[in-house]
Amino acid sequence: MTVRRLLPGPLVIASHNEGKVSEISALLGSYGIEPVSAGELGLPEPEETGTTFAENAALKALAAARGSGMPALADDSGLCVDALGGAPGVYTADWAEAGLREGGPGRDWYLAMGKVEGKLAELGPDAPRTAHFVCMLALGWPDGHVDLFEGRVAGSLTWPPRGKLGFGYDPVFVPAGRTQTFAEIAPTEKHAISHRAAAFLKLVEAAL
Ligand code: IMP
């Protein structure tokens, strides 16, 4: 199936996360794309009911495209740990949400990183510590057409967490070939090698 081309003009960024919207806007601004956030348009956030990154990215992109009548871009991402059978995977954000459900302060990334480490420790000291981040981008259209672009970055998990930069699981993820965690690497450098960068490169090559 051929990828549908995105022409200069408005593109809905199907996310209510300000950080994601500004990062995506910066990446696409130079192609004549005019990013509009789903929040700005008052579009509701659909429930992420899929069991794969592709399903969740597609459902978010299509909901925004159908709701706005414009093409829409969504991203779904997460951390997959080999020894845990790919977990937390699509549930990466949920593993940090114990606080939310209990009426607590919201997502707690240290709790989430600790959960991953606890499960690895249960497997014993010989369990492989390899992992990868996945970023799935979905470009959806009001007629239901959707194109997917996947990026990955391989690495391994370290403990205890190190570094203050980045977000989410960055302090425990050491990309392959490096010794520093994503939270110790300058953002510009992280953005050059990240799963999100790899997915964007595919989108730019195929759709722009
Ligand atoms: P999403 O917003 O539903 O796609 O959730 C993805 C989750 O994966 C985020 O909340 C982060 O915890 C995690 N994640 C994705 N990309 C990164 C990254 O580059 N660094 C650290 N954590 C990430």
Short mmCIF file of all heavy atoms in Angstrom, two decimals, residues 20 48 60 75-79 92-93 107 109 133 167-170 182 190 195-196, ligand 1:
data_model
loop_
_atom_site.label_atom_id
_atom_site.label_comp_id
_atom_site.label_asym_id
_atom_site.label_seq_id
_atom_site.Cartn_x
_atom_site.Cartn_y
_atom_site.Cartn_z
N LYS A 20 4.78 16.82 23.79
CA LYS A 20 4.74 16.09 22.52
C LYS A 20 4.37 17.03 21.37
O LYS A 20 4.97 17.00 20.31
CB LYS A 20 3.70 14.97 22.59
CG LYS A 20 4.24 13.62 22.96
CD LYS A 20 3.18 12.55 22.73
CE LYS A 20 3.55 11.26 23.43
NZ LYS A 20 2.49 10.26 23.35
N GLU A 48 -7.42 4.53 24.96
CA GLU A 48 -6.43 3.71 24.24
C GLU A 48 -6.73 2.24 24.50
O GLU A 48 -6.16 1.62 25.38
CB GLU A 48 -5.01 4.10 24.67
CG GLU A 48 -4.69 5.52 24.28
CD GLU A 48 -3.26 5.94 24.57
OE1 GLU A 48 -2.36 5.07 24.65
OE2 GLU A 48 -3.03 7.15 24.71
N LYS A 60 -5.99 6.84 17.78
CA LYS A 60 -5.87 8.26 18.18
C LYS A 60 -5.86 9.16 16.95
O LYS A 60 -6.52 10.21 16.91
CB LYS A 60 -4.58 8.49 18.99
CG LYS A 60 -4.64 7.94 20.41
CD LYS A 60 -3.44 8.36 21.24
CE LYS A 60 -2.28 7.41 21.17
NZ LYS A 60 -1.20 7.68 22.13
N ASP A 75 1.05 9.70 18.10
CA ASP A 75 2.19 8.84 18.42
C ASP A 75 1.86 7.98 19.62
O ASP A 75 1.16 8.40 20.53
CB ASP A 75 3.44 9.72 18.57
CG ASP A 75 4.12 9.69 19.91
OD1 ASP A 75 3.41 9.71 20.93
OD2 ASP A 75 5.36 9.67 19.95
N ASP A 76 2.29 6.72 19.59
CA ASP A 76 2.15 5.86 20.74
C ASP A 76 3.52 5.24 20.97
O ASP A 76 4.15 4.77 20.02
CB ASP A 76 1.09 4.77 20.51
CG ASP A 76 0.60 4.21 21.83
OD1 ASP A 76 0.17 5.00 22.70
OD2 ASP A 76 0.67 2.99 22.03
N SER A 77 3.98 5.30 22.20
CA SER A 77 5.35 4.84 22.43
C SER A 77 5.45 4.10 23.74
O SER A 77 4.52 4.13 24.57
CB SER A 77 6.30 6.04 22.41
OG SER A 77 5.84 7.03 23.31
N GLY A 78 6.57 3.44 23.95
CA GLY A 78 6.76 2.72 25.20
C GLY A 78 8.07 1.97 25.24
O GLY A 78 8.84 1.96 24.27
N LEU A 79 8.30 1.36 26.40
CA LEU A 79 9.53 0.61 26.66
C LEU A 79 9.22 -0.88 26.65
O LEU A 79 8.27 -1.32 27.31
CB LEU A 79 10.07 1.01 28.04
CG LEU A 79 11.31 0.27 28.52
CD1 LEU A 79 12.55 0.72 27.73
CD2 LEU A 79 11.55 0.52 30.01
N THR A 92 3.22 1.02 29.15
CA THR A 92 4.33 1.76 29.75
C THR A 92 3.86 2.91 30.62
O THR A 92 4.32 3.09 31.75
CB THR A 92 5.29 2.27 28.66
OG1 THR A 92 5.84 1.13 27.99
CG2 THR A 92 6.43 3.08 29.24
N ALA A 93 2.93 3.71 30.12
CA ALA A 93 2.45 4.86 30.91
C ALA A 93 1.63 4.37 32.11
O ALA A 93 1.74 4.92 33.21
CB ALA A 93 1.63 5.80 30.04
N ARG A 107 1.30 10.47 37.71
CA ARG A 107 2.29 9.49 37.26
C ARG A 107 3.57 9.60 38.06
O ARG A 107 4.08 10.69 38.28
CB ARG A 107 2.57 9.69 35.77
CG ARG A 107 1.42 9.20 34.95
CD ARG A 107 1.70 9.32 33.48
NE ARG A 107 0.51 8.87 32.75
CZ ARG A 107 0.30 9.11 31.47
NH1 ARG A 107 1.18 9.80 30.78
NH2 ARG A 107 -0.78 8.67 30.88
N TRP A 109 7.23 8.18 37.84
CA TRP A 109 8.16 7.44 37.00
C TRP A 109 9.14 6.61 37.81
O TRP A 109 9.61 5.59 37.35
CB TRP A 109 8.89 8.39 36.04
CG TRP A 109 7.87 9.01 35.14
CD1 TRP A 109 7.45 10.31 35.13
CD2 TRP A 109 7.05 8.32 34.19
NE1 TRP A 109 6.44 10.45 34.22
CE2 TRP A 109 6.17 9.27 33.64
CE3 TRP A 109 6.96 7.00 33.76
CZ2 TRP A 109 5.23 8.93 32.66
CZ3 TRP A 109 6.03 6.67 32.81
CH2 TRP A 109 5.18 7.63 32.27
N PHE A 133 13.07 1.07 23.18
CA PHE A 133 11.93 1.98 23.11
C PHE A 133 11.34 1.87 21.71
O PHE A 133 12.09 1.74 20.72
CB PHE A 133 12.36 3.44 23.31
CG PHE A 133 12.49 3.88 24.73
CD1 PHE A 133 13.73 4.29 25.24
CD2 PHE A 133 11.39 3.92 25.58
CE1 PHE A 133 13.85 4.73 26.55
CE2 PHE A 133 11.50 4.35 26.89
CZ PHE A 133 12.73 4.76 27.37
N PHE A 167 12.61 12.50 30.22
CA PHE A 167 11.37 12.23 30.93
C PHE A 167 11.18 10.72 31.04
O PHE A 167 11.98 9.94 30.52
CB PHE A 167 10.17 12.88 30.21
CG PHE A 167 9.89 12.27 28.86
CD1 PHE A 167 8.87 11.33 28.69
CD2 PHE A 167 10.64 12.61 27.76
CE1 PHE A 167 8.61 10.75 27.46
CE2 PHE A 167 10.38 12.03 26.51
CZ PHE A 167 9.37 11.11 26.36
N GLY A 168 10.07 10.32 31.67
CA GLY A 168 9.71 8.90 31.74
C GLY A 168 10.86 8.02 32.21
O GLY A 168 11.48 8.29 33.25
N TYR A 169 11.13 6.98 31.45
CA TYR A 169 12.10 5.96 31.83
C TYR A 169 13.55 6.31 31.43
O TYR A 169 14.43 5.47 31.51
CB TYR A 169 11.73 4.62 31.20
CG TYR A 169 10.43 4.02 31.69
CD1 TYR A 169 9.20 4.58 31.36
CD2 TYR A 169 10.42 2.89 32.50
CE1 TYR A 169 8.00 4.03 31.80
CE2 TYR A 169 9.23 2.31 32.94
CZ TYR A 169 8.03 2.90 32.59
OH TYR A 169 6.85 2.34 33.03
N ASP A 170 13.79 7.54 30.97
CA ASP A 170 15.12 7.93 30.52
C ASP A 170 16.25 7.63 31.52
O ASP A 170 17.33 7.21 31.11
CB ASP A 170 15.15 9.42 30.16
CG ASP A 170 14.57 9.68 28.77
OD1 ASP A 170 14.43 8.72 28.00
OD2 ASP A 170 14.27 10.85 28.46
N PHE A 182 19.79 7.96 28.86
CA PHE A 182 19.10 9.01 28.08
C PHE A 182 18.93 10.28 28.91
O PHE A 182 18.84 11.37 28.38
CB PHE A 182 17.72 8.51 27.62
CG PHE A 182 17.67 8.05 26.18
CD1 PHE A 182 16.55 7.39 25.70
CD2 PHE A 182 18.72 8.27 25.30
CE1 PHE A 182 16.46 6.97 24.37
CE2 PHE A 182 18.66 7.86 23.97
CZ PHE A 182 17.52 7.21 23.50
N LYS A 190 19.98 13.14 22.22
CA LYS A 190 18.96 12.09 22.37
C LYS A 190 18.01 12.13 21.17
O LYS A 190 17.68 11.09 20.59
CB LYS A 190 18.15 12.29 23.67
CG LYS A 190 17.05 11.25 23.81
CD LYS A 190 16.04 11.51 24.91
CE LYS A 190 14.80 10.65 24.70
NZ LYS A 190 13.72 10.91 25.64
N HIS A 195 14.02 6.64 19.31
CA HIS A 195 12.96 5.94 18.61
C HIS A 195 12.05 6.93 17.88
O HIS A 195 11.58 6.67 16.78
CB HIS A 195 12.16 5.09 19.60
CG HIS A 195 11.81 5.79 20.88
ND1 HIS A 195 12.71 6.53 21.60
CD2 HIS A 195 10.63 5.92 21.55
CE1 HIS A 195 12.12 7.05 22.65
NE2 HIS A 195 10.85 6.70 22.64
N ARG A 196 11.80 8.10 18.51
CA ARG A 196 10.92 9.11 17.89
C ARG A 196 11.59 9.68 16.64
O ARG A 196 10.95 9.87 15.61
CB ARG A 196 10.64 10.21 18.92
CG ARG A 196 9.31 10.91 18.72
CD ARG A 196 8.81 11.60 19.98
NE ARG A 196 8.26 10.64 20.92
CZ ARG A 196 8.83 10.31 22.08
NH1 ARG A 196 9.95 10.88 22.46
NH2 ARG A 196 8.29 9.40 22.86
P1 IMP B 1 2.02 7.25 25.48
O1 IMP B 1 1.97 8.73 25.75
O2 IMP B 1 0.73 6.54 25.75
O3 IMP B 1 2.56 6.95 24.13
O4 IMP B 1 3.00 6.66 26.59
C1 IMP B 1 4.32 6.42 26.32
C2 IMP B 1 5.11 6.28 27.60
O5 IMP B 1 6.35 5.64 27.25
C3 IMP B 1 5.51 7.62 28.16
O6 IMP B 1 4.63 8.07 29.12
C4 IMP B 1 6.92 7.35 28.74
O7 IMP B 1 6.85 6.87 30.03
C5 IMP B 1 7.45 6.23 27.89
N1 IMP B 1 8.37 6.79 26.91
C6 IMP B 1 8.13 6.97 25.59
N2 IMP B 1 9.18 7.56 25.00
C7 IMP B 1 10.10 7.74 25.98
C8 IMP B 1 11.40 8.32 25.98
O8 IMP B 1 11.93 8.82 24.98
N3 IMP B 1 12.02 8.33 27.18
C9 IMP B 1 11.48 7.82 28.31
N4 IMP B 1 10.27 7.30 28.36
C10 IMP B 1 9.58 7.25 27.20
#
